[in-house]
Amino acid sequence: MSAYRGKKFQFLSVFLCSWLVACMVPVFAEEDGAVHVSTASELQSAIKKAQAGTTIVLEDGTYDVKGGFKITGKNGTSSSPITIQAANQGQAVITGEAFFSIKKSSYIVLQGMSFTNTGNTAVSLDGSSHVQVSRNTFALTENGKALKWVYVYGVDSHHNLIDHNEFGPKHDLGNFITFGGTNTQISQYDTVEYNYFHDTGPRVENGLEAIRVGTSTVSMSDAFDTIQYNLFENCDGDPEFVSVKSGHNTVRYNTFRNSQGVLSARHGHGQSYYGNFFLGDGVKPGTGGIRLYANDHKVYNNYFEGLTGTGAASTLLIDGGDYDGGTDGDAPATSEELAKHWRVYRAQVVNNTIVNSATGISVGQSYQLAPVDSVVANNLVMNSKGTLYFEPKPGNTSFAGNIGYGSKLSNASHSSSEIQTIDPLLTTANGLQVLSDTSPAIDASVGDYFFITGDMDGQTRSGISDVGADESSNEAVINRPLTGADVGPKS
Ligand SMILES: [Ca+2]
Ligand SMILES: [Ca+2]
Ligand SMILES: [Ca+2]
């Protein structure tokens, strides 16, 4: 009964017990219908009794227990989830050896807690679906050992939502969020949105990505995961701040600020990366954008400014490969082959804007196998120094309708229909470099790319698309670079 303690109930039960002498029928719920707990053992007991529709409220305080809080085989429903939430945002602290392990469960909500625990993954979702991890703060106490902070994996893992959380700082190896699966299938249809990821580092060679979606082993399976509307700031720990290692994921509308690394399509086919803002201060070294391997990626409507990265941290790199997975990309591959950098087939890099950065669009940088049948079209690159379009190994990549202006370097080997050297006449609006009314980029796109329906601002493309990520438009701006006020538990 202690798990169902509440001040009103205590008072009422003492009163009733003394008056009736025999008090055999406990009154479990408070006025709000929720089960209130204020100790770890009360929480454990409440979890054991929870069923669809149960809300467990954690009063302010610390919750620590060896072995953690285990939710196994519990199923809510879409209209009646099992909710475990802090009474007051961030005031219920999961600490010490505590953690949440959710296994073979569905429709569970974890909300509003602060995680400062150590040595254990703070929240693991194993073989679970429709679990929501929302408005929590993850600032784990580090101990020098690798640790995944949130880990989504297991058999039949799908449709989980991680939203409005804050993650960081993090120095030890391991991701803020790791999506795994089984040995053959990545977790599917998960969404990561409106989170604030910040302050990873110092830099290691590998293993400190903010988010990793998959592994090389499962990379031929499709995740259909969506990472959107998140803010990444000073995520410096790994050459990839987000590493995608599975198929058919969407990364859109995120803002990457002053982070040393790239969003990579590291393994797996068919990623869509669009409408993201990559912003550097022009000083911090190694800030990059997007790097691609494998087949059929679409990269469009992204805006890059002030990035300093070169080489593998270039602004937008269709990289060379060290393994050829073939035009269909589905040939049987050994685990060793799966771990390689797969040759790019049919990347479509269109209508992106790059300004004031050290590099522009690069093709075939790191490995010998040049991209095949890829397209670089209708992009706008204006860097005052460094490279614009840089093609160490372009293969048969086709160029059309691009603008490159500023730096003395490159553009030389292309016709003006492929890359036009012309001042795009940009102007500053809301801190971004956009098209002025007289820009030659207006209505100057060529070719037909069905997926280009809007621009980086969320405005519709009118008539012929303008070159670059921006469409000159009077419509309301829907998407803009995110700030701390747009994301995290308090947004
Ligand atoms: Ca990495
Ligand atoms: Ca237009
Ligand atoms: Ca616009």
Side-chain angles (χ1 to χ4, degrees), residues 43 47 50 54-58 71 82-86 100 102 108-113 136:
L43 176 54
I47 287 170
T54 299
T55 296
I56 301 171
V57 175
L58 281 68
I71 301 164
I82 296 169
T83 301
I84 301 173
Q85 65 180 56
F100 280 91
I102 299 178
I108 311 288
V109 179
L110 295 185
Q111 187 173 314
M113 290 170 271
N136 303 285

Side-chain angles (χ1 to χ4, degrees), residues 285-328:
T287 54
I290 291 175
R291 177 156 47 102
L292 303 179
Y293 302 102
N295 299 14
D296 298 310
H297 305 311
K298 294 183 179 67
V299 177
Y300 57 97
N301 285 348
N302 298 286
Y303 179 91
F304 308 81
E305 180 170 6
L307 303 178
T308 59
T310 58
S314 291
T315 302
L316 210 174
L317 173 58
I318 307 171
D319 209 355
D322 56 6
Y323 177 76
D324 193 336
T327 185
D328 294 329

Side-chain angles (χ1 to χ4, degrees), residues 442-443 461-466 471-472:
I442 292 174
D443 291 346
R461 296 276 180 175
S462 56
I464 296 168
S465 289
D466 302 351
E471 186 78 9
S472 180

Side-chain angles (χ1 to χ4, degrees), residues 51-55 75-83 106-109 130:
Q51 50 191 336
T54 299
T55 296
N75 297 289
T77 68
S78 59
S79 56
S80 296
I82 296 169
T83 301
S106 64
Y107 295 103
I108 311 288
V109 179
H130 299 283

